[in-house]
Each structure stands twice: as structure tokens, then as C-alpha cells.
């Protein structure tokens, strides 16, 4: 029986590469049962036609209306409710959530609430609501399969070393996330005062969407990944480290109780972690160039500069604070990054706005998802006022 796959964010970087993985898989491996995008209705409709999908969703009503007028192959849903209905009505047994930002939380909750396995590329789901999300997965028996390259690497290392048991029952001391350092590695705060959007989007090793590329430039992306790793693996923050590795060959590594380290290596290509999550527990061949370390030549490492790139320690502090603090951090960051991409603030203001929002909006303990939506809204309003001011 083919695996019935729903892809949320199918027109973005992760979504399009996931469809490449599906195309390359043996016939009968996957059946695409639904697709969703934000506003790119034309490529979404083209994907629906190619894969014979009769249920799609778009982020807003206007683009959904355009898709409905141009496509008579099925039904078009729209808005946050449409994404949730897509999950509930598609009949999927695996959902790939590759949406960008906090908008991915609702479909994550709907997926896990139905007991459907979740291949998660939307890190904000765990940053915003990690404790409740993981509790929901445990309650329904659904699996959360990480798609981020770093967390996929850790997942494979932890799974191998713990031999299917828990992290705490094994021999792993520390999880170490690697970071490329982004386009501004080695620069000081004085160097970053007047950098522009084009420079910030010029990532040295990964081809990603705009928001995540800016997060990489500020190191916020790595901070969000620290919070994500904490929830995925149940690991205390003092056992999660970050090291800068410009070549992006080692995707993450773990240190063991006997002083040994185990690393996961490969070319920086997202198709590998996508394919691992979609095919798990099997590992299938995909068309990728094998790693040849003699060709790579050297691998270098350095500590993260947390004085210059303040977003990383801000994220770690919010994670330790817990409650709604990570939600506030994420919402403020989304507002600030959007303002930077639109030329309204400078690069260094991103971290300043995030920090000021964390100071202004008091964190609370979380008992229900509704509290997260309230915190998200309050943080966005505070961050937007800081941008305007």
C-alpha cells in the first residue's frame, strides 16, 4: 500500500524538494492526497494536476478564488480553517508540515490530534507550543518525525545509540547542533550596522526561503533549533550546544559518556532528511552525490559569537524561561524579520525588537493552546509598535 502523503507548504523550498523525492521513489511508494500553499496558487494548481490531487488549500480567500476559477479538478479550501480541514479530510497517514512561521501550529495540532504521523519542517510548531505538542503526540500515539537537517541528524544518532530506547536511558551526554554561521560569520556589530537585505539573503551553503535565510543570518534559526531539540529529545538546555561549522558537512553530532563523539555527515542537501522522514523506518536510495571527504579537504569549527548575534542567546533564555516566552520570541522575530525584508528596519534592529518585546510582554505558564494564540497576538502587537516607533 502506498503511503498517503499530505504536503503543507508544497510550493516552498521544502515542499518542492519533497515532491522531487516522491517523483524519484519507486512507483507505488507514495500517493499525494492533498497540497497546500500560502499565496502561490498557480504552482499549487500545477502540482495538483501533476499528482492527480483533488483537494488543495491556500492561505487566503483571494488566491483561493483565483485557483478555483482556473482549476476544475477538485475543491479549494482557504485560510487557517481550510488547512485544518485539509488535514482532517484528506485521508493522509503522513503529513509533511513545511509551512513557514507560527501558521504551522494549527495544522500540527490537527494532525497529531487525529493520531496522524507528522513529518515536521515547521520548527515554529515546537518553538511556540512544544510542550503541548509533544504531550498531544504521546497521547494519540502519533510520531513526530523531524525534517530539519540538524534534527534529522540527531534523530538518527540518538536512535542508533539508544537502540530504540530513550535518550536518558542511553549513553549520550550532549547534543551538538552545527551552524554555518550565515553570510555574516566573523563580522562584528560595527560591521553589521548598514548591511542590506540582499547581503543577508546571500547564504553561503544552503538555498532556503527568505524568512529562514534571515534567521540564519541572525543565528535566530539556530536558537529556534535549540528549543526544538529540547522538545524533540527531552533534553535539558544545558546539554544542547551550538558550534559553527562553515562547510555544513557535519549536520549535528552527539558526545557520549566515554568521551567519544558520533557525527552525521553529508552534503548540504535537504532531500536527504526529507527522504529519511518520509520513508522512515526504511532508508531508500535517492539521487544524491556521495560524500567524499578527500574532495571536501577540511572541516573547520568555531564557537558561535553570541555577543554579535544576540538572537541565539535570546532564544536559549526564552527556552529556559518556558511557558509563553518562546511563543513571544517567535512572534516578535517574525514581525521584525518581515520589517527588515521590507526595508523598514536595519539588520541589528531585529534582535533589539525581539529583546524589547520579551521585556514588554510578560510570559505565562501554558495550559491550553488558546493561551499560545493570545501570547502570539500580544507579542505581534508589541513588536509592530516597536517597528513603527
Amino acid at each position: 500500500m502506498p503511503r498517503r502523503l499530505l504536503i503543507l507548504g508544497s510550493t516552498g523550498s521544502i515542499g518542492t524538494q519533497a515532491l522531487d523525492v516522491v517523483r524519484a521513489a519507486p512507483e507505488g511508494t507514495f500517493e499525494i492526497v492533498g497540497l497546500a500553499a500560502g499565496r502561490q496558487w498557480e504552482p499549487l494548481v500545477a502540482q495538483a494536476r501533476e499528482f492527480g490531487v483533488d483537494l488543495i488549500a491556500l492561505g487566503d480567500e483571494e488566491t483561493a478564488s483565483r485557483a478555483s476559477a482556473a482549476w476544475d479538478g477538485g475543491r479549494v479550501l482557504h485560510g487557517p480553517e481550510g488547512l485544518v480541514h485539509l488535514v482532517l479530510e484528506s485521508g493522509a497517514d503522513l503529513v509533511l508540515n513545511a509551512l513557514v512561521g507560527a501558521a504551522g501550529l494549527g495544522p500540527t495540532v490537527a494532525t497529531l490530534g487525529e493520531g496522524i504521523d507528522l513529518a515536521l519542517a515547521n520548527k515554529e510548531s515546537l518553538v511556540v507550543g512544544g510542550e503541548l505538542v509533544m504531550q498531544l503526540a504521546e497521547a494519540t500515539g502519533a510520531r513526530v518525525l523531524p525534517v530539519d537537517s540538524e534534527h534529522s541528524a540527531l534523530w538518527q544518532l540518538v536512535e542508533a545509540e539508544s537502540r530504540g530506547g530513550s535518550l536518558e536511558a542511553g549513553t549520550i551526554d550532549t547534543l551538538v547542533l552545527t551552524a554555518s554561521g550565515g553570510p555574516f560569520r566573523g563580522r562584528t556589530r560595527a560591521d553589521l550596522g548598514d548591511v542590506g537585505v540582499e547581503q543577508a539573503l546571500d547564504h553561503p551553503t544552503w538555498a532556503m526561503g527568505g524568512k529562514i535565510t534571515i534567521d540564519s543570518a541572525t543565528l535566530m534559526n539556530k536558537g529556534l533549533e535549540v528549543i526544538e531539540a529540547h522538545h524533540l529529545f527531552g533534553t535539558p538546555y544545558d546539554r544542547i550546544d551550538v558550534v559553527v561549522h562553515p562547510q555544513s558537512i557535519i549536520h549535528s553530532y552527539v558526545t557520549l559518556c566515554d568521551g567519544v563523539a558520533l557525527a552525521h555527515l553529508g552534503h548540504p542537501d535537504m532531500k536527504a532528511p526529507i527522504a529519511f522522514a518520509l520513508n522512515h523506518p526504511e532508508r531508500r536510495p535517492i539521487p544524491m552525490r556521495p560524500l567524499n571527504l578527500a574532495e571536501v579537504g577540511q572541516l573547520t569549527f568555531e564557537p558561535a559569537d553570541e555577543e554579535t548575534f544576540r538572537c541565539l542567546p535570546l532564544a536559549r533564555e526564552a527556552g529556559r524561561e518556558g511557558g509563553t516566552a518562546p511563543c513571544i520570541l517567535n512572534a516578535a522575530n517574525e514581525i521584525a524579520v518581515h520589517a527588515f525584508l521590507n526595508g523598514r528596519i536595519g539588520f541589528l534592529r531585529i534582535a533589539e525588537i525581539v529583546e524589547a518585546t520579551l521585556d514588554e510582554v510578560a510570559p505565562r505558564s501554558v495550559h491550553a493552546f488558546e493561551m499560545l494564540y493570545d501570547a502570539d497576538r500580544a507579542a505581534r502587537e508589541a513588536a509592530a509598535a516597536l517597528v513603527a516607533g
Side-chain angles (χ1 to χ4, degrees):
M1 289 288 291
R3 184 162 289 180
R4 294 171 58 81
L5 176 63
L6 166 62
I7 300 179
L8 307 177
S10 64
T11 62
S13 176
I14 298 296
T16 55
Q17 290 180 84
L19 289 174
D20 286 341
V21 169
V22 170
R23 293 185 186 99
E27 187 175 354
T29 303
F30 297 104
E31 178 187 355
I32 305 298
V33 295
L35 298 165
R39 299 183 59 84
Q40 298 188 65
W41 68 270
E42 290 174 299
L44 182 66
V45 166
Q47 291 171 347
R49 287 177 175 144
E50 177 184 355
F51 290 95
V53 173
D54 60 10
L55 191 61
I56 63 175
L58 282 146
D60 65 10
E61 189 170 3
E62 179 184 350
T63 52
S65 296
R66 293 181 183 179
S68 296
W71 179 59
D72 58 3
R75 191 152 57 101
V76 182
L77 306 174
H78 72 269
E81 299 84 2
L83 289 172
V84 170
H85 283 296
L86 181 62
V87 171
L88 300 179
E89 296 178 27
S90 66
D93 51 43
L94 177 64
V95 174
L96 169 59
N97 187 347
L99 296 169
V100 176
L105 178 60
T108 285
V109 173
T111 299
L112 298 176
E114 291 296 302
I116 302 170
D117 288 344
L118 176 68
L120 187 61
N122 173 256
K123 62 172 55 65
E124 290 84 359
S125 289
L126 289 181
V127 171
V128 172
E131 185 175 344
L132 296 182
V133 165
M134 297 309 291
Q135 287 175 359
L136 181 60
E138 185 176 358
T140 63
R143 298 180 301 164
V144 179
L145 313 174
V147 172
D148 273 354
S149 61
E150 296 84 357
H151 300 92
S152 177
L154 290 173
W155 175 29
Q156 294 174 58
L157 293 167
V158 168
E159 189 174 68
E161 181 60 24
S162 63
R163 296 166 181 84
S166 69
L167 180 62
E168 291 301 325
T171 57
I172 296 173
D173 278 347
T174 308
L175 309 180
V176 185
L177 297 158
T178 54
S180 69
F184 302 135
R185 181 177 65 87
R187 301 206 194 180
T188 65
R189 287 184 63 83
D191 298 328
L192 299 176
D194 59 355
V195 298
V197 173
E198 186 175 345
Q199 294 167 284
L201 289 173
D202 187 21
H203 196 280
T205 53
W206 292 96
M208 305 176 290
K211 194 267 182 182
I212 192 172
T213 304
I214 300 303
D215 282 349
S216 180
T218 65
L219 291 195
M220 177 61 87
N221 194 46
K222 209 52 51 178
L224 300 181
E225 289 175 5
V226 168
I227 299 173
E228 190 179 5
H230 166 75
H231 291 296
L232 281 170
F233 304 107
T235 309
Y237 283 101
D238 59 6
R239 290 175 55 194
I240 305 173
D241 290 339
V242 172
V243 65
V244 173
H245 169 49
Q247 294 81 17
S248 298
I249 296 295
I250 293 180
H251 302 307
S252 283
Y253 65 91
V254 297
T255 63
L256 308 182
C257 61
D258 58 2
V260 170
L262 301 179
H264 179 284
L265 290 76
H267 290 295
D269 189 325
M270 282 303 300
K271 288 189 182 68
I274 292 169
F276 187 78
L278 297 189
N279 288 297
H280 191 268
E282 297 182 40
R283 187 187 293 270
R284 297 182 185 274
I286 58 174
M288 277 188 59
R289 181 166 57 99
L291 178 64
N292 185 325
L293 287 176
E295 290 179 359
V296 173
Q298 64 176 352
L299 303 176
T300 59
F301 307 90
E302 60 195 59
D305 180 1
E306 297 191 7
E307 291 297 320
T308 299
F309 300 97
R310 286 284 302 147
C311 284
L312 174 55
L314 286 172
R316 196 187 297 273
E317 291 163 13
R320 286 197 175 103
E321 177 78 24
T324 59
C327 176
I328 295 165
L329 169 103
N330 180 75
N333 181 64
E334 287 189 17
I335 292 294
V337 169
H338 181 76
F340 172 71
L341 286 169
N342 285 278
R344 299 179 62 198
I345 62 171
F347 181 77
L348 292 176
R349 283 285 289 154
I350 296 174
E352 293 171 357
I353 287 169
V354 171
E355 185 167 20
T357 304
L358 285 166
D359 289 339
E360 183 173 333
V361 182
R364 302 169 57 196
S365 58
V366 178
H367 308 294
F369 285 106
E370 289 75 14
M371 299 177 69
L372 296 172
Y373 294 119
D374 290 343
D376 179 86
R377 183 168 51 252
R380 289 176 189 277
E381 291 172 356
L386 289 165
V387 168

